[in-house]
Amino acid sequence: MTLGETLDAATDYLASRGVEQPRLDAERLLARALGLSRIELYTQHDRPLTNAERAAAREPVRRRGAREPIAYVLGDWDFRRLTLRTDRRALVPRPETEIVVDRCLALLDDAEAPHVVDVGTGTGAIALAIVQELPDAHVTATDSSPEALALARENAQANGLDIHLVETDLLEGVEGPFDLVVSNPPYVLSAEVDSLEPEVRDWEPRAALVDAGQTERLVEQASRVLDGWLVLEIHAERAAHVTGLLESAGYDGVHVTRDLAGRDRIVEGRWTS
Ligand SMILES: C[S@@+](CC[C@H](N)C(=O)[O-])C[C@H]1O[C@@H](n2cnc3c(N)ncnc32)[C@H](O)[C@@H]1O
């Protein structure tokens, strides 16, 4: 079989398994397996594959066909300027979370050597992006999952970045003051889990997905350590609930930011101690 025929077969297979972007994913998987760029898949379209190349391509395509997230199959994923290791220990960082980092950087614009804490850091995406783009920041990152924290540590090392990692429940035992508390807490309602795509429902850690009241508890806990901003990624249908939580807790400057699809996805508010 030629490379082009293999690419077509992988695309058809992934489409038959219900993968949303079968061509794109087939290109990414074959390019990675064969050590080629996506362009080279086309410039070498008519080249027959060796048996070793065909064997190398088979397993990642099979995994993706089982609806394992592409980021887990590839083993890494880009987030802003970072390439992060990604596997089942933590949620795959999402594009809307890049906008959370934009909000944090905008709110910290005038701050010198700000102290920041990322609650529920997962891969370390938010914490690492902030310290990479704001090198004088002192960044702490917490998670209740030791597996996620191990992955965040690997990502800090791989990217040559320094963050302080703490295993705890939200901000329990963490001492401020912080200029900014940021979090993308679990916010999928348990009634919604069955309707999620298999990539999310069957592969990503449940504890990273399902809302167990973390947002409500964090709004309260953050005020203990904050002299500055709380920035929260939220469920697109819960902006009114979360802004109400911040306002009744005594935060001011409460503001909602939309994602690129126009959905309410980020709530921020300032706590003055
Ligand atoms: C939605 S994921 C976000 C991961 C990462 N911040 C991101 O944006 O890609 C939520 C994270 O919060 C962690 N988490 C859930 N409950 C927690 C709690 N009570 N205390 C600390 N971390 C928690 C999960 O382990 C998971 O890593």
Side-chain angles (χ1 to χ4, degrees):
M1 264 175 115
T2 64
L3 209 169
E5 287 165 344
T6 307
L7 181 57
D8 288 344
T11 305
D12 291 347
Y13 174 69
L14 295 182
S16 76
R17 304 290 300 171
V19 169
E20 196 179 336
Q21 296 180 296
R23 187 69 177 187
L24 178 62
D25 283 8
E27 288 175 0
R28 284 174 161 160
L29 294 169
L30 260 63
R32 180 66 65 88
L34 303 178
L36 300 173
S37 66
R38 280 172 54 211
I39 297 291
E40 287 169 326
L41 297 177
Y42 292 94
T43 56
Q44 300 182 23
H45 200 253
D46 296 328
R47 172 170 78 75
L49 291 188
T50 65
N51 286 342
E53 285 176 321
R54 287 179 60 185
R58 199 168 295 127
E59 179 61 7
V61 173
R62 185 202 62 75
R63 285 174 64 185
R64 185 69 189 102
R67 304 296 295 271
E68 185 171 349
I70 181 96
Y72 289 172
V73 181
L74 293 172
D76 60 57
W77 201 241
D78 291 340
F79 181 81
R80 295 180 69 92
R81 302 178 200 166
L82 295 161
T83 299
L84 298 170
R85 188 174 297 180
T86 40
D87 61 35
R88 291 193 77 173
R89 289 176 288 176
L91 191 97
V92 178
R94 307 291 205 269
E96 52 270 26
T97 308
E98 300 199 13
I99 306 172
V100 171
V101 176
D102 279 335
R103 286 308 307 147
C104 295
L105 296 177
L107 294 168
L108 292 171
D109 198 29
D110 291 334
E112 267 180 42
H115 287 72
V116 174
V117 58
D118 170 24
V119 180
T121 198
T123 55
I126 297 174
L128 292 170
I130 290 175
V131 81
Q132 184 184 49
E133 296 181 48
L134 215 57
D136 69 344
H138 302 277
V139 181
T140 298
T142 77
D143 208 290
S144 53
S145 156
E147 293 81 17
L149 284 170
L151 182 57
R153 185 167 294 109
E154 291 167 24
N155 278 322
Q157 280 165 0
N159 286 280
L161 296 168
D162 189 24
I163 54 174
H164 177 52
L165 292 160
V166 183
E167 181 183 336
T168 192
D169 177 24
L170 302 178
L171 285 167
E172 206 63 57
V174 175
E175 295 300 326
F178 290 99
D179 300 282
L180 186 138
V181 174
V182 56
S183 185
N184 172 16
Y187 53 70
V188 175
L189 304 176
S190 39
E192 294 173 326
V193 170
D194 286 346
S195 64
L196 297 173
E197 288 295 315
E199 284 83 351
V200 182
R201 186 191 63 216
D202 300 339
W203 293 91
E204 297 199 294
R206 249 335 126 91
L209 294 172
V210 179
D211 185 341
Q214 290 94 335
T215 300
E216 287 76 2
R217 287 198 296 124
L218 185 55
V219 168
E220 195 211 311
Q221 279 193 20
S223 63
R224 182 181 57 77
V225 299
L226 254 184
D227 191 4
W229 292 94
L230 172 63
V231 180
L232 294 171
E233 184 169 321
I234 59 158
H235 189 296
E237 282 151 32
R238 300 192 79 203
H241 170 67
V242 180
T243 54
L245 279 178
L246 266 69
E247 281 165 355
S248 53
Y251 289 77
D252 63 24
V254 176
H255 175 78
V256 178
T257 301
R258 293 189 166 154
D259 64 16
L260 297 174
R263 294 169 303 185
D264 293 337
R265 295 313 301 271
I266 302 159
V267 170
E268 67 203 36
R270 184 175 44 215
W271 182 269
T272 309
S273 59

